[in-house]
Amino acid sequence: MTNFNYQVLTLLLRSPLGNILVEGTPEYVSGIRFLKDDEDIKATGEPSGAILTCINELGAYFEGTNFIFSFPFRQEGTYFQQQVWTELCKTNAGVTLSYLDLSKNLGNQLAIRAVANAIGKNKLAIVVPCHRIIGTNRSLTGYNAGLWRKKWLLQHEAQFIQKPGTLF
């Protein structure tokens, strides 16, 4: 077994939805998650270019001026999870898909539960946009950071992305 020795760096971003912890290495971002109200985490290390770019791009996201992320990111997962996360990244801001839609896009409409499970393991909130996946009946379901945040993110995107109709 190879022993990887790398430094994990963290930085906090204050957002309209609470504090966000951004984690990564000097080369890429590996985690973006909303902190719970009672979590007290301190930033560690000197933030890398990838983390600083992530913070800047998330700031632009919350300002409504950018919905495309260019910084390098990576998360560990099975081959299937990687497929789901890659497909999620194809879902543009202001667009929602159902779990069934995503399963069909992956070529197996019967994989709805597996797709939902993979989405639940996503460690890159907003950037790998699992908040854009809703129930087949157009209801808001399943978001680790809370449905109120999911609703806020969808409404936020809708006000800047001019699309006819409602998101959910």
Side-chain angles (χ1 to χ4, degrees), residues 128-145:
V128 177
C130 55
H131 64 277
R132 296 180 188 148
I133 306 304
I134 60 175
T136 304
N137 64 358
R138 311 298 294 163
S139 65
L140 294 183
T141 61
Y143 192 61
N144 288 337

Side-chain angles (χ1 to χ4, degrees), residues 8-12 20-25 28-33 41 44 48 50-51 54-55 71-74 123-124:
V8 175
L9 310 166
T10 63
L11 194 62
L12 292 175
I20 296 175
L21 179 69
V22 178
E23 299 177 294
T25 70
Y28 59 87
V29 172
S30 59
I32 301 169
R33 70 177 175 91
I41 296 178
T44 62
S48 67
I51 290 177
C54 172
I55 293 293
F71 60 88
F73 58 87
R74 184 169 77 193
K123 292 179 175 65
L124 293 164

Side-chain angles (χ1 to χ4, degrees), residues 87 91 95-102 105 132-135 138:
E87 194 65 30
T91 309
V95 174
T96 56
L97 294 175
S98 70
Y99 292 93
L100 178 60
D101 294 332
L102 193 57
N105 290 352
R132 296 180 188 148
I133 306 304
I134 60 175
R138 311 298 294 163

